[in-house]
Amino acid sequence: MFRVLLCLSFFLQTTGLRSPAVAGVAGATRRLWSRPSLRLASVANEELAPVPVQLEQELGDSFLQYAMSIILGRALPDARDGMKPVHRRILYAMHVLNLGPASQHRKCARVVGEVLGKFHPHGDTAVYEALVRMAQSWVMSGTLIDGHGNFGSLDNDPPAAMRYTECRLTPLATDALLKDIREDTVDFLPNFDASEEEPVVLPARLPMLLLNGANGIAVGMATNMPPHNLGELVDAMKALVADPDLPDDELYKIVPGPDFPTGGYILGMDGARNLYNTGKGSITMRAKTHLEKIQGPRRSTCEAIVVTELPYMTNKSLFLSRTAGLVNDKELEGVSDLRDESDRDGMRIVIELKKGAVPTVVENNLMKRTQMQYQFNGNMLAIGKDGKKPLRLGLREALQEFIKFRFQTVRRRTQFQLAKLEARNHIVEGLQIALERIDDVIDVLRKASDSASAKTGLVDDLGMALSGTQMDAILDLRLSRLTSLETKKLNEEQKDLSGGIQEARKLLDNDADVYKMMVQEWDELKAKYGVARRSQILMDEEATIDLKEEDLLANDRSVIVLTSGGYIKRMPVDEFNTIKRGSRGKAGAQYSKRDAEGISQFFACNDHDTILFITDKGIAHAIRAFQVPFAGRTARGSALPSIMPLTGEDKIAGVVTMSSAELEDEEQFLVMITRNGWIKKTPLSSMKNINSRGLTVQLVESGDALLRVRRCTSEDSVVVATAEGSVTRFSTDNTQLRATSRKSRGVKSIKTREQDKIVDLEVMSKADSEQGSSLLIVTQNGYGKRVKIENFRKQARGGVGVRAIKFKTKKSSNGDDKVACCRIVRAGAEVMLTTAKGTIVRQSGDLISQQQRQSTGVALQRLDPGDAIVEIAVVPDEDLQADERAS
């Protein structure tokens, strides 16, 4: 019972929970602890009084000691040499074993055994994994161990057992970490059993913490540092030495971001700036790809996305498996084959595309759904304050910590070298004194009975002021050193020693000289081990970090159908083949009996376009074309209120499609006309901030309703058509139609006769006039013609217009004929006609006869009894050209 309460109390204390139940558990534990049978007593002396201990205090202190032991002794790297204790002990043990770059490889099991037996009393698996990591070139910017054998791979293959692999130190490890270790540059402490000594920190010459990065999980904290470029770090340290107050912007120009050994792209600078400023930030990485034309099946060529570099720490085999799963589950469209062609020369993953697939869309989907793009969540936490306290470091703080440490090691090395030079100079001076009276020295030595009497004779008999060290050197002097040549060498050595002592003292007296030496050493290491940047940074204008929905979809052309019953759907244009004039066409929609008017809106657009739906009350709603659900030709579609916030009384009167660039264009306007003939022009840019409730764009009076909406500029002209075949054309400049606010009513457009009404509005652009475009006029009974624009001269707004078409005198089964709609058609364009019952015909505009205004036109579509033409849609020219290029 007591054990259960003790464990529970420990858990509650460490989690910091406070409640009556917690207090009850703590009280029960204290009561049990106070029982005599549970008191601490000495077995050897039962008369010793029990030691009173507060359980909460003891548990808290013990847990804190455990946490600090993990933080300082195992999990976090030191900011000075960038090493965790296990890595530092491995490198030092290899140095002790003389496994330098010039030595032969030795079994990793031998190194692991040395580390375990002398310095690191933990599991052999953890030591071997740490050793392997320092040998993996795709993990470390500068590898510290030269491995021989299987040390794993990018596919996350495990390394071979330690009894099979071999290792030795790399030149970088020797030159940058271990070169000064025997020159009193760092402190040594006894190992776990006081049988050996190990360094507290390695005398690093480079900031390994930033060069190779680090990761680790401690108690209540963790670190994850990205690797950097050696040359950039050296340049940054030199800049900070020259100007400690260097602005952050200048520092970030030198080190713009991490440099991952696997290469790839880094998207933008914001993530790296946050990491460098605060010590915590997220960096978005992306694979490096390119498009290739490769030999496909049946000797045909096809496009392929070739991946040559993956983001840092990405498992290649897992990426391939994930991609294959997406293709098999039909979640990734457009991929026909996937294979790994990587070899010793580098990575090469080939993703073959199906015919007609858009490479950009497939690549964006791969970025969104796989590890071709993912974030490195950095947390720059390390042991600072001379190894005493965990700190979160920015780039500047990490570099300054290392510069401070390196300054101390250079001074300690110089003091060690000075002491060594002075000791040798002291001996040389004694030898020179002895050589000046060599005959007397020899006589004293001959008469002496032992070494002690010889030393006494040199001082007493010859009066030489010699120290014990100098007298020992004289007694050890070989006869060969008595020659004149050796005497000359001794004089030259003494001269060199004096110069070295002078330089060392100057270095210790002048901090600037210490920094100068540090910079010189950094330049040497940069020249020897520096490499070009491997991770390319894409600036903010080149980098799309957050892929939007449109980035994952092809910008295909589609037809959107809206019925009067309030249903909408999207269909691909290719669903309807181009057929000859006068054909019946295909069914394009299904409607119920209550859809008395059938199709109300019908238009073609690109899937990335923004569609502006404007109700008959003048309220505008905006959605993207790809947000309209796909449906089959004969399907009804989706209810309009499920896509837009509409009520049952709202009717869509006008539809305008536009690209994102056009929405920002200040020269673009919306021109709107009501059934009573009121027309107005409003800037398109005022539609940018449409919220979920919609935006009022036209003031509609009682008894009136919005009829049609189009886009225009001030250089265009508008055509207003009536049911009886009258057309008026006037300019959209500020003279005839000035721009007004969203909530204005507008001005009068055309004067209609009795029994006549306005049926359509179309815009003629300046380009239409220059390119010889025509006005296509279609009647409800399926007749139509093209009329040259020049046949409609510009008039003053508000007139009765001119006759544009003459109707057939023979009555049709569908009743008297009326104008259904009109459109501007350019040469080579295709048009799609739809009837009230949903039959759609796609045909070339060039096949429609071009006639005069007074002619009756030709049959465009064969109609069923009771059916009528309601709309025309013009296929976008740019997409038509894209189709021609693809074919």
Side-chain angles (χ1 to χ4, degrees):
M1 179 64 182
F2 173 72
R3 291 181 179 178
V4 173
L5 288 174
L6 183 63
C7 294
L8 182 57
S9 178
F10 172 77
F11 168 76
L12 295 174
Q13 289 294 324
T14 55
T15 54
L17 296 176
R18 294 290 185 269
S19 69
V22 174
V25 170
T29 308
R30 283 194 296 270
R31 287 192 295 272
L32 286 173
W33 186 257
S34 62
R35 292 181 181 179
S37 59
L38 296 176
R39 291 175 184 171
L40 295 177
S42 173
V43 177
N45 187 359
E46 295 182 358
E47 296 179 357
L48 288 176
V51 180
V53 176
Q54 291 292 329
L55 180 61
E56 293 87 346
Q57 181 71 28
E58 180 65 25
L59 289 175
D61 293 344
S62 299
F63 185 78
L64 182 61
Q65 291 176 10
Y66 164 75
M68 291 305 296
S69 173
I70 295 298
I71 292 170
L72 299 178
R74 295 189 67 176
L76 297 185
D78 196 296
R80 295 169 291 181
D81 63 354
M83 299 284 115
K84 293 183 187 179
V86 63
H87 299 101
R88 186 181 302 117
R89 288 162 177 169
I90 290 171
L91 296 176
Y92 180 68
M94 294 179 70
H95 174 73
V96 172
L97 292 173
N98 293 320
L99 296 181
S103 67
Q104 292 184 345
H105 290 86
R106 296 281 293 275
K107 288 290 184 181
C108 292
R110 174 70 178 88
V111 176
V112 172
E114 183 80 4
V115 174
L116 294 178
K118 292 184 177 180
F119 308 114
H120 199 73
H122 300 286
D124 59 342
T125 302
V127 175
Y128 185 52
E129 287 177 353
L131 186 150
V132 167
R133 185 181 186 276
M134 290 190 287
Q136 293 176 335
S137 59
W138 59 92
V139 176
M140 313 280 282
S141 283
T143 55
L144 303 177
I145 291 179
D146 178 17
H148 185 69
N150 176 16
F151 276 77
S153 70
L154 269 172
D155 291 323
N156 204 28
D157 296 324
M162 67 180 79
R163 61 183 177 272
Y164 299 120
T165 55
E166 299 177 346
C167 64
R168 65 183 178 186
L169 293 172
T170 61
L172 176 63
T174 302
D175 292 344
L177 285 172
L178 299 163
K179 194 169 186 178
D180 303 331
I181 199 165
R182 296 300 181 188
E183 296 187 338
D184 194 31
T185 50
V186 293
D187 295 330
F188 280 72
L189 289 176
N191 66 342
F192 60 89
D193 61 357
S195 62
E196 300 279 345
E197 284 193 336
E198 60 175 319
V200 176
V201 65
L202 297 180
R205 295 190 174 195
L206 290 173
M208 289 294 174
L209 183 69
L210 295 172
L211 177 62
N212 284 326
N215 62 76
I217 300 175
V219 179
M221 59 185 67
T223 185
N224 194 25
M225 294 195 180
H228 290 76
N229 184 270
L230 187 150
E232 292 176 356
L233 292 177
V234 167
D235 293 339
M237 291 188 296
K238 289 166 61 178
L240 287 175
V241 167
D243 182 10
D245 298 324
L246 183 73
D248 287 342
D249 290 341
E250 296 297 323
L251 180 62
Y252 299 156
K253 288 179 181 178
I254 302 173
V255 184
D259 185 25
F260 300 104
T262 52
Y265 293 115
I266 295 175
L267 305 187
M269 303 286 293
D270 292 341
R273 292 290 176 90
N274 290 336
L275 180 64
Y276 292 160
N277 285 330
T278 65
K280 195 172 184 179
S282 180
I283 298 170
T284 304
M285 303 175 293
R286 178 178 291 176
K288 185 173 287 187
T289 62
H290 66 272
L291 288 178
E292 282 188 13
K293 290 280 188 180
I294 64 173
Q295 193 74 27
R298 300 179 183 177
R299 298 184 179 180
S300 61
T301 59
C302 64
E303 285 189 319
I305 299 173
V306 179
V307 182
T308 55
E309 295 176 5
L310 284 173
Y312 183 58
M313 299 302 289
T314 296
N315 186 333
K316 178 161 64 72
S317 62
L318 188 61
F319 161 71
L320 291 169
S321 175
R322 170 67 175 161
T323 305
L326 291 173
V327 174
N328 293 333
D329 295 341
K330 307 298 183 182
E331 296 182 26
L332 180 62
E333 301 290 341
V335 176
S336 62
D337 192 19
L338 173 68
R339 58 182 179 272
D340 185 7
E341 298 181 356
S342 305
D343 55 19
R344 293 178 180 272
D345 296 328
M347 182 185 298
R348 180 180 170 86
I349 300 172
V350 180
I351 305 171
E352 285 190 17
L353 304 181
K354 294 180 180 178
K355 185 177 181 181
V358 182
T360 305
V361 173
V362 176
E363 188 171 347
N364 287 341
N365 275 280
L366 286 168
M367 300 294 180
K368 185 76 173 180
R369 299 170 182 267
T370 71
Q371 282 191 311
M372 278 183 63
Q373 176 175 316
Y374 86 104
Q375 292 183 332
F376 181 94
N377 296 312
N379 187 21
M380 298 177 65
L381 195 68
I383 305 299
K385 298 291 184 181
D386 296 329
K388 298 176 182 177
K389 183 180 179 181
L391 298 174
R392 178 171 283 122
L393 306 170
L395 177 65
R396 177 185 296 273
E397 292 78 13
L399 291 173
Q400 288 175 338
E401 281 282 331
F402 174 76
I403 292 172
K404 175 185 173 183
F405 167 69
R406 186 59 193 163
F407 179 83
Q408 295 171 351
T409 57
V410 171
R411 284 187 61 87
R412 289 186 61 167
R413 183 185 66 187
T414 305
Q415 290 172 346
F416 174 81
Q417 293 173 347
L418 176 60
K420 193 174 180 180
L421 290 172
E422 288 177 339
R424 178 59 184 168
N425 186 62
H426 181 63
I427 292 174
V428 170
E429 287 177 348
L431 293 176
Q432 287 177 327
I433 293 172
L435 289 176
E436 289 176 359
R437 301 177 59 185
I438 190 61
D439 294 333
D440 296 335
V441 170
I442 293 173
D443 290 339
V444 170
L445 296 179
R446 281 178 179 175
K447 296 176 182 179
S449 58
D450 53 22
S451 297
S453 59
K455 292 178 182 180
T456 303
L458 290 175
V459 175
D460 297 340
D461 298 344
L462 300 181
M464 293 182 177
L466 298 174
S467 66
T469 305
Q470 289 175 325
M471 287 188 287
D472 289 337
I474 293 172
L475 294 179
D476 293 337
L477 188 66
R478 297 173 58 185
L479 293 177
S480 60
R481 301 293 301 275
L482 301 179
T483 63
S484 58
L485 180 61
E486 291 295 327
T487 303
K488 183 178 179 181
K489 288 181 179 180
L490 207 60
N491 293 332
E492 291 175 354
E493 182 183 0
Q494 200 275 334
K495 184 178 179 182
D496 293 339
L497 290 171
S498 298
I501 292 171
Q502 185 178 358
E503 289 293 329
R505 287 175 176 169
K506 180 182 177 183
L507 194 66
L508 292 174
D509 294 337
N510 192 348
D511 292 346
D513 289 341
V514 178
Y515 286 118
K516 185 177 180 181
M517 177 170 287
M518 291 162 54
V519 169
Q520 181 181 349
E521 292 175 351
W522 292 337
D523 286 336
E524 292 173 357
L525 291 171
K526 177 183 176 181
K528 189 173 182 180
Y529 301 108
V531 295
R533 168 171 276 275
R534 288 163 285 199
S535 295
Q536 182 180 347
I537 298 178
L538 300 180
M539 295 305 166
D540 295 336
E541 59 271 13
E542 303 176 84
T544 304
I545 296 178
D546 297 324
L547 293 173
K548 300 178 182 177
E549 192 172 356
E550 60 262 32
D551 297 325
L552 309 178
L553 300 170
N555 193 19
D556 295 329
R557 52 186 180 162
S558 299
V559 173
I560 294 182
V561 178
L562 179 64
T563 71
S564 58
Y567 290 91
I568 189 172
K569 67 177 180 178
R570 179 164 55 107
M571 298 179 291
V573 169
D574 296 337
E575 188 78 21
F576 304 92
N577 298 324
T578 304
I579 59 177
K580 65 181 181 179
R581 179 177 57 80
S583 300
R584 182 180 181 279
K586 291 181 179 181
Q590 182 185 51
Y591 60 95
S592 64
K593 292 181 179 180
R594 61 192 178 93
D595 293 332
E597 298 180 9
I599 292 179
S600 64
Q601 298 287 341
F602 173 78
F603 57 95
C605 63
N606 295 323
D607 285 347
H608 287 189
D609 288 347
T610 297
I611 307 177
L612 209 61
F613 291 89
I614 305 176
T615 68
D616 54 356
K617 297 177 182 178
I619 308 298
H621 300 271
I623 63 171
R624 303 298 294 271
F626 57 79
Q627 292 177 306
V628 178
F630 262 120
R633 283 192 302 107
T634 59
R636 174 178 292 179
S638 302
L640 201 56
S642 66
I643 301 174
M644 289 178 288
L646 299 177
T647 64
E649 298 177 355
D650 290 328
K651 301 294 181 183
I652 301 299
V655 177
V656 177
T657 63
M658 67 201 82
S659 64
S660 300
E662 291 170 336
L663 193 59
E664 299 289 338
D665 191 352
E666 298 292 338
E667 300 298 324
Q668 293 282 337
F669 297 89
L670 282 184
V671 58
M672 294 165 276
I673 192 169
T674 69
R675 294 187 182 278
N676 292 343
W678 296 103
I679 189 170
K680 63 174 284 188
K681 184 178 71 173
T682 300
L684 187 61
S685 58
S686 64
M687 313 293 162
K688 289 188 293 186
N689 300 320
I690 298 180
N691 56 31
S692 59
R693 296 175 297 177
L695 187 71
T696 301
V697 296
Q698 171 76 43
L699 181 62
V700 180
E701 296 178 338
S702 177
D704 197 4
L706 189 65
L707 174 66
R708 198 69 87 180
V709 183
R710 291 286 184 267
R711 263 191 356 229
C712 73
T713 67
S714 297
E715 297 180 351
D716 300 336
S717 59
V718 293
V719 173
V720 181
T722 69
E724 296 296 335
S726 295
V727 168
T728 184
R729 178 189 177 195
F730 54 89
S731 177
T732 57
D733 58 16
N734 291 329
T735 303
Q736 292 290 326
L737 192 64
R738 64 182 181 86
T740 58
S741 65
R742 291 186 291 105
K743 295 187 178 181
S744 63
R745 183 184 67 171
V747 294
K748 206 65 178 174
S749 61
I750 189 173
K751 185 183 297 183
T752 57
R753 300 178 176 89
E754 282 189 45
Q755 306 300 324
D756 200 2
K757 63 179 181 179
I758 298 172
V759 294
D760 209 350
L761 170 72
E762 183 63 335
V763 174
M764 292 182 179
S765 67
K766 185 178 180 181
D768 292 330
S769 301
E770 295 173 350
Q771 296 175 6
S773 300
S774 305
L775 180 65
L776 173 63
I777 304 174
V778 180
T779 69
Q780 293 178 354
N781 289 344
Y783 292 93
K785 64 179 180 179
R786 290 185 297 140
V787 183
K788 290 184 179 180
I789 293 178
E790 298 83 46
N791 292 343
F792 302 94
R793 61 183 179 83
K794 292 182 181 179
Q795 299 176 330
R797 175 181 51 78
V800 295
V802 297
R803 171 67 63 179
I805 190 169
K806 184 179 180 181
F807 300 111
K808 295 281 186 179
T809 55
K810 179 182 177 181
K811 283 195 174 183
S812 169
S813 60
N814 294 324
D816 293 337
D817 207 0
K818 303 290 183 182
V819 171
C821 49
C822 61
R823 293 289 180 271
I824 295 295
V825 180
R826 297 182 181 180
E830 288 184 344
V831 296
M832 301 180 74
L833 289 77
T834 183
T835 70
K837 292 185 178 181
T839 303
I840 297 175
V841 168
R842 177 182 176 186
Q843 57 186 264
S844 173
D846 293 342
L847 298 179
I848 302 174
S849 299
Q850 194 169 62
Q851 301 178 359
Q852 296 298 318
R853 289 192 295 109
Q854 298 296 331
S855 60
T856 58
V858 296
L860 302 182
Q861 184 173 356
R862 187 172 72 252
L863 301 176
D864 294 333
D867 205 357
I869 299 290
V870 293
E871 268 292 354
I872 311 172
V874 180
V875 178
D877 291 343
E878 58 270 20
D879 292 310
L880 191 63
Q881 294 170 1
D883 276 357
E884 292 172 355
R885 289 194 299 269
S887 61

